[in-house]
Amino acid sequence: MTRVYNFSAGPAALPVEVLEQLRDEMLDWRGQGMSVMEMSHRGKAFVGIAERAEADLRELLAVPSNYKVLFLQGGATAQFAAVPMNLSKPGAVADYVNTGAWSKKAIGEAKRYLKVNVAADAGGNYSTVPPRDGWKLTPGAAYVHYTPNETIGGVEFHSVPDVGDVPLVADMSSTILSRPVDVQRFGVIYAGAQKNIGPAGLVVVIVRDDLLDRARPDTPTVFDWKAMGADGSMLNTPATYSWYVAGAVFQWIKRQGGLAGMEKLNRAKSEKLYATIENSGGFYRNPVAPDCRSWMNVPFTLPGADLDQPFLDGAKAAGLVTLAGHRSVGGMRASLYNAMPMAGVDALVEYMAEFQRLKG
Ligand SMILES: *Cc1c(COP(=O)(O)O)cnc(C)c1O
């Protein structure tokens, strides 16, 4: 068996220790004589797994007690619709900040339910974060939505914008758990699992209690945060196995020193890769403004598109895979989520230097 360094943007690599635990517990979870996949979600064993996962996530993120933590289905994309359905009446206005591909998708979906005011648009080729003082917010808006990390563009907010008393809603799919964050600054945080949490399909929603009374009456119950919260996310059968995997990842993060430990590692990994790009004399380029470069997703280009395939072929031979950029952008993209060890980044920068020596 050979494990590769997988730089996929999502579904993404999981920690080897977690995969080993899943393997060891597959046929017989702790004397139950069955796998977690086969258990009743109402049974004592699974309820314990679910509660432990929620408690660990609350501890990692220091989620205050006046927030609900939900484990739902449909990925982050389901929440693009669930956010307006849960937070606004038809005809209401919500402010959206557009920093790239995922913001645009969130905006497109929200427009089906309410009036979207694009309060700020990074524009151009979406390589910056629009400064907060230029945002045109709507007085009385239902909420303000933004994307703290644009997974495709590699653009990241390095501080939380202040929007006063209006609920701030964040799609944290590709940056949650990468470092500490002050949950109290947000009305709602949601994150698809397949980047830093676990298997695709699961989505974690963290919502402040006072926002649970605003859902439209026609909101489907599986997307209704209040209904789901009242039932411990078990109004219907939850994604039990994914929830269990997420719990194993949370425990792994705790063993790495929690989010402070992840922050230290993630800062060091991204600094190493950006330094390699910056010190390549223009051979490798990253288009993003230095003060909003993502720690999690690092896009870069080579001197010509004709070098892309040779770069990818050589990388694959060196055990470095899924480095092709998003189909809409081209070039390369290395995703450095929590599960990517420093050894993977070391192998990548070594390969990049070698490739430049051969082709530069
Ligand atoms: C991956 C991603 C999504 C989409 O998640 P799905 O699970 O496919 O719905 C949404 N937003 C961001 C920022 C992402 O990185």
Side-chain angles (χ1 to χ4, degrees), residues 11 20 27-28 36 89 92 94 108-109 140 162 170 172 179 204 212 227 246 285 287 299 313-314 322 327 333 343:
E20 287 169 344
L27 297 187
D28 176 10
V36 175
K89 294 188 168 52
E109 189 72 354
D162 186 356
M172 282 199 196
R179 77 208 76 175
V204 168
L212 291 173
R285 288 177 194 272
D313 292 344
T322 337
R327 58 188 189 276
R333 174 176 48 169

Side-chain angles (χ1 to χ4, degrees), residues 215-231:
R216 300 177 185 203
D218 58 358
T219 303
T221 38
V222 293
F223 294 142
D224 184 319
W225 298 333
K226 186 176 186 183
M228 272 297 190
D231 239 332

